[in-house]
Amino acid sequence: MIARGDSLILNSGGEREAFVQVDDSLYEGVKTGDFMAFGNREGKEHLFRPSDVYGARLPAAYEYRNPLQASGFINEYTSWLLGLPFILLFLVWPVAAGVSAVRKRARPLPPSR
């Protein structure tokens, strides 16, 4: 989002959309006529604007999230947390089996009676 004078330019989905200030925290889209508002809910700043969902314009509220709370980080963290035991299993097990085989081969046979 870029502020220029009394207007905001919003990059959304690869498109730039300009909004002109209408009221204190209310902006109107130059091309689309959609409204965008800023507000405070439960102590957090929110951006309220319509969101395009399969051709339907549905109301949506956006808030800033810490990068560690972003869905990409959570998905990556969970994937590594669940996948690491399997990765270690398939990496460590063949090495342990090879070391065990080498030790058995290096061990002298007990004398036969």
Side-chain angles (χ1 to χ4, degrees):
M1 188 177 297
I2 303 167
R4 290 202 179 135
D6 66 343
S7 63
L8 293 175
I9 298 173
L10 183 67
N11 292 324
S12 175
E15 298 177 12
R16 284 187 168 195
E17 191 173 350
F19 288 85
V20 178
Q21 188 170 8
V22 177
D23 201 6
D24 186 30
S25 62
L26 183 66
Y27 291 82
E28 184 177 4
V30 174
K31 290 184 215 171
T32 61
D34 289 339
F35 286 96
M36 175 174 68
F38 294 93
N40 193 335
R41 182 183 279 174
E42 298 174 3
K44 293 183 180 179
E45 291 294 324
H46 284 77
L47 165 67
F48 302 96
R49 68 175 292 231
S51 182
D52 189 25
V53 180
Y54 298 109
R57 304 292 288 168
L58 301 176
Y62 301 93
E63 70 180 20
Y64 172 77
R65 288 193 163 218
N66 183 329
L68 297 179
Q69 294 175 326
S71 60
F73 176 79
I74 299 297
N75 290 344
E76 189 79 18
Y77 177 74
T78 306
S79 297
W80 278 105
L81 192 65
L82 296 174
L84 193 60
F86 292 107
I87 292 170
L88 290 176
L89 175 72
F90 290 115
L91 291 177
V92 173
W93 179 54
V95 171
V99 168
S100 176
V102 168
R103 284 186 179 171
K104 283 182 183 177
R105 200 176 313 148
R107 226 183 292 159
L109 294 173
S112 56
R113 295 182 186 199

mmCIF file of all heavy atoms in Angstrom, residues 64-78:
data_model
loop_
_atom_site.group_PDB
_atom_site.id
_atom_site.type_symbol
_atom_site.label_atom_id
_atom_site.label_comp_id
_atom_site.label_asym_id
_atom_site.label_seq_id
_atom_site.Cartn_x
_atom_site.Cartn_y
_atom_site.Cartn_z
ATOM 1 N N TYR A 64 -2.736 -7.177 10.329
ATOM 2 C CA TYR A 64 -1.310 -7.465 10.223
ATOM 3 C C TYR A 64 -1.002 -8.683 11.078
ATOM 4 O O TYR A 64 -1.485 -8.809 12.193
ATOM 5 C CB TYR A 64 -0.482 -6.274 10.704
ATOM 6 C CG TYR A 64 0.984 -6.605 10.790
ATOM 7 C CD1 TYR A 64 1.753 -6.653 9.636
ATOM 8 C CD2 TYR A 64 1.580 -6.911 11.995
ATOM 9 C CE1 TYR A 64 3.094 -6.982 9.689
ATOM 10 C CE2 TYR A 64 2.918 -7.242 12.056
ATOM 11 C CZ TYR A 64 3.673 -7.271 10.905
ATOM 12 O OH TYR A 64 4.990 -7.606 10.959
ATOM 13 N N ARG A 65 -0.192 -9.560 10.540
ATOM 14 C CA ARG A 65 0.245 -10.725 11.296
ATOM 15 C C ARG A 65 1.755 -10.766 11.345
ATOM 16 O O ARG A 65 2.425 -10.454 10.368
ATOM 17 C CB ARG A 65 -0.258 -12.016 10.661
ATOM 18 C CG ARG A 65 -1.730 -12.184 10.848
ATOM 19 C CD ARG A 65 -2.120 -13.575 10.492
ATOM 20 N NE ARG A 65 -3.428 -13.796 11.052
ATOM 21 C CZ ARG A 65 -3.789 -14.930 11.575
ATOM 22 N NH1 ARG A 65 -2.980 -15.938 11.596
ATOM 23 N NH2 ARG A 65 -4.994 -15.073 12.058
ATOM 24 N N ASN A 66 2.252 -11.178 12.462
ATOM 25 C CA ASN A 66 3.677 -11.397 12.637
ATOM 26 C C ASN A 66 4.106 -12.470 11.638
ATOM 27 O O ASN A 66 3.366 -13.428 11.417
ATOM 28 C CB ASN A 66 3.896 -11.873 14.076
ATOM 29 C CG ASN A 66 5.333 -12.075 14.426
ATOM 30 O OD1 ASN A 66 6.143 -12.431 13.578
ATOM 31 N ND2 ASN A 66 5.646 -11.850 15.678
ATOM 32 N N PRO A 67 5.284 -12.358 11.015
ATOM 33 C CA PRO A 67 5.706 -13.384 10.055
ATOM 34 C C PRO A 67 5.707 -14.806 10.628
ATOM 35 O O PRO A 67 5.506 -15.769 9.907
ATOM 36 C CB PRO A 67 7.121 -12.951 9.673
ATOM 37 C CG PRO A 67 7.128 -11.472 9.879
ATOM 38 C CD PRO A 67 6.217 -11.234 11.056
ATOM 39 N N LEU A 68 5.920 -14.941 11.938
ATOM 40 C CA LEU A 68 5.898 -16.274 12.541
ATOM 41 C C LEU A 68 4.474 -16.815 12.691
ATOM 42 O O LEU A 68 4.281 -17.988 12.944
ATOM 43 C CB LEU A 68 6.593 -16.265 13.900
ATOM 44 C CG LEU A 68 8.075 -15.911 13.863
ATOM 45 C CD1 LEU A 68 8.653 -15.920 15.265
ATOM 46 C CD2 LEU A 68 8.848 -16.856 12.975
ATOM 47 N N GLN A 69 3.471 -15.965 12.544
ATOM 48 C CA GLN A 69 2.080 -16.397 12.602
ATOM 49 C C GLN A 69 1.503 -16.629 11.214
ATOM 50 O O GLN A 69 0.374 -17.078 11.089
ATOM 51 C CB GLN A 69 1.222 -15.345 13.305
ATOM 52 C CG GLN A 69 1.531 -15.157 14.755
ATOM 53 C CD GLN A 69 0.720 -14.018 15.339
ATOM 54 O OE1 GLN A 69 0.441 -13.033 14.662
ATOM 55 N NE2 GLN A 69 0.350 -14.154 16.597
ATOM 56 N N ALA A 70 2.260 -16.320 10.192
ATOM 57 C CA ALA A 70 1.763 -16.471 8.822
ATOM 58 C C ALA A 70 1.570 -17.942 8.491
ATOM 59 O O ALA A 70 2.277 -18.814 8.997
ATOM 60 C CB ALA A 70 2.735 -15.827 7.837
ATOM 61 N N SER A 71 0.615 -18.219 7.631
ATOM 62 C CA SER A 71 0.288 -19.609 7.320
ATOM 63 C C SER A 71 1.453 -20.326 6.644
ATOM 64 O O SER A 71 1.656 -21.520 6.867
ATOM 65 C CB SER A 71 -0.946 -19.669 6.424
ATOM 66 O OG SER A 71 -0.696 -18.985 5.216
ATOM 67 N N GLY A 72 2.241 -19.637 5.834
ATOM 68 C CA GLY A 72 3.382 -20.278 5.181
ATOM 69 C C GLY A 72 4.394 -20.796 6.184
ATOM 70 O O GLY A 72 4.900 -21.914 6.058
ATOM 71 N N PHE A 73 4.690 -20.002 7.208
ATOM 72 C CA PHE A 73 5.637 -20.436 8.237
ATOM 73 C C PHE A 73 5.076 -21.602 9.030
ATOM 74 O O PHE A 73 5.783 -22.583 9.289
ATOM 75 C CB PHE A 73 5.993 -19.281 9.178
ATOM 76 C CG PHE A 73 6.881 -19.710 10.316
ATOM 77 C CD1 PHE A 73 8.236 -19.886 10.110
ATOM 78 C CD2 PHE A 73 6.357 -19.955 11.566
ATOM 79 C CE1 PHE A 73 9.054 -20.308 11.145
ATOM 80 C CE2 PHE A 73 7.157 -20.374 12.608
ATOM 81 C CZ PHE A 73 8.519 -20.545 12.401
ATOM 82 N N ILE A 74 3.820 -21.513 9.422
ATOM 83 C CA ILE A 74 3.199 -22.586 10.220
ATOM 84 C C ILE A 74 3.178 -23.885 9.420
ATOM 85 O O ILE A 74 3.481 -24.954 9.953
ATOM 86 C CB ILE A 74 1.778 -22.181 10.662
ATOM 87 C CG1 ILE A 74 1.820 -20.931 11.536
ATOM 88 C CG2 ILE A 74 1.072 -23.313 11.361
ATOM 89 C CD1 ILE A 74 2.562 -21.101 12.843
ATOM 90 N N ASN A 75 2.835 -23.813 8.134
ATOM 91 C CA ASN A 75 2.823 -25.018 7.301
ATOM 92 C C ASN A 75 4.213 -25.614 7.177
ATOM 93 O O ASN A 75 4.392 -26.833 7.265
ATOM 94 C CB ASN A 75 2.267 -24.707 5.909
ATOM 95 C CG ASN A 75 0.793 -24.421 5.928
ATOM 96 O OD1 ASN A 75 0.105 -24.728 6.890
ATOM 97 N ND2 ASN A 75 0.309 -23.820 4.868
ATOM 98 N N GLU A 76 5.204 -24.774 6.946
ATOM 99 C CA GLU A 76 6.583 -25.245 6.813
ATOM 100 C C GLU A 76 7.064 -25.886 8.115
ATOM 101 O O GLU A 76 7.654 -26.960 8.124
ATOM 102 C CB GLU A 76 7.484 -24.065 6.439
ATOM 103 C CG GLU A 76 8.874 -24.442 6.060
ATOM 104 C CD GLU A 76 8.982 -24.976 4.644
ATOM 105 O OE1 GLU A 76 8.075 -24.748 3.840
ATOM 106 O OE2 GLU A 76 9.995 -25.628 4.361
ATOM 107 N N TYR A 77 6.797 -25.218 9.234
ATOM 108 C CA TYR A 77 7.220 -25.715 10.546
ATOM 109 C C TYR A 77 6.569 -27.062 10.856
ATOM 110 O O TYR A 77 7.229 -28.003 11.280
ATOM 111 C CB TYR A 77 6.852 -24.681 11.612
ATOM 112 C CG TYR A 77 7.162 -25.110 13.020
ATOM 113 C CD1 TYR A 77 8.468 -25.136 13.483
ATOM 114 C CD2 TYR A 77 6.144 -25.504 13.885
ATOM 115 C CE1 TYR A 77 8.753 -25.537 14.777
ATOM 116 C CE2 TYR A 77 6.422 -25.898 15.174
ATOM 117 C CZ TYR A 77 7.727 -25.911 15.620
ATOM 118 O OH TYR A 77 8.010 -26.317 16.885
ATOM 119 N N THR A 78 5.271 -27.157 10.607
ATOM 120 C CA THR A 78 4.553 -28.406 10.876
ATOM 121 C C THR A 78 5.052 -29.533 9.975
ATOM 122 O O THR A 78 5.221 -30.666 10.427
ATOM 123 C CB THR A 78 3.037 -28.208 10.680
ATOM 124 O OG1 THR A 78 2.620 -27.115 11.486
ATOM 125 C CG2 THR A 78 2.270 -29.448 11.057
#
